[in-house]
Amino acid sequence: MAGLDAHAVRRMVNASKANEKQIIFIRHGQSVANSSGHLSEEEPLNPRWWDSPITAKGQMQASSWAGVAPSWDVDEVWCSPLCRAMETACRIFERVDVPIRVSPFAREGWWHCTENQGRLL
């Protein structure tokens, strides 16, 4: 572009970034369903797959992010109401004073799968 130097472009980009929000997507830690090697569709009525929690390995995976999460400077955290997502979010942001908002809109899109249907308590 004529009349627009690299410094002017850099200033415009930096100015627009100051008003932008960053979105970070994090998948839950390994779940019991993930580690089993089975698909929930193979045994759709087996309660083992309903709202499958995270394994010990999944807990370690989630906790491994807790040290760097404060540097992300997040304003809020959104997660699925499934226990594997909530536990993962709590472990990652345990050292950050940030609200964790639970929303059904953050759930996986395969709602027909038993592992995504949640528990009736």
Side-chain angles (χ1 to χ4, degrees):
M1 283 192 266
L4 199 58
D5 65 24
H7 296 291
V9 172
R10 198 170 300 122
R11 282 192 302 272
M12 288 188 316
V13 169
N14 288 339
S16 73
K17 283 185 180 180
N19 297 321
E20 292 178 1
K21 294 281 184 185
Q22 181 178 358
I23 299 175
I24 303 169
F25 289 93
I26 302 172
R27 189 172 191 272
H28 59 77
Q30 180 191 57
S31 70
V32 171
N34 296 146
S35 69
S36 73
H38 284 86
L39 297 174
S40 61
E41 291 88 0
E42 293 172 2
E43 299 177 81
L45 300 178
N46 186 338
R48 180 176 183 199
W49 309 131
W50 298 347
D51 196 9
S52 182
I54 59 177
T55 62
K57 180 178 179 179
Q59 292 171 347
M60 289 181 359
Q61 290 170 331
S63 294
S64 72
W65 289 100
V68 296
S71 69
W72 296 338
D73 194 31
V74 297
D75 296 322
E76 57 190 348
V77 174
W78 287 78
C79 75
S80 159
L82 297 173
C83 68
R84 59 185 172 268
M86 291 189 294
E87 182 175 358
T88 298
C90 289
R91 286 178 176 275
I92 291 173
F93 293 98
E94 66 187 10
R95 301 178 193 167
V96 182
D97 184 21
V98 63
I100 297 178
R101 305 190 191 287
V102 178
S103 172
F105 299 112
R107 287 182 52 189
E108 297 173 10
W110 299 279
W111 296 310
H112 65 283
C113 295
T114 317
E115 67 185 81
N116 297 325
Q117 292 179 3
R119 299 173 189 232
L120 297 174
L121 299 176

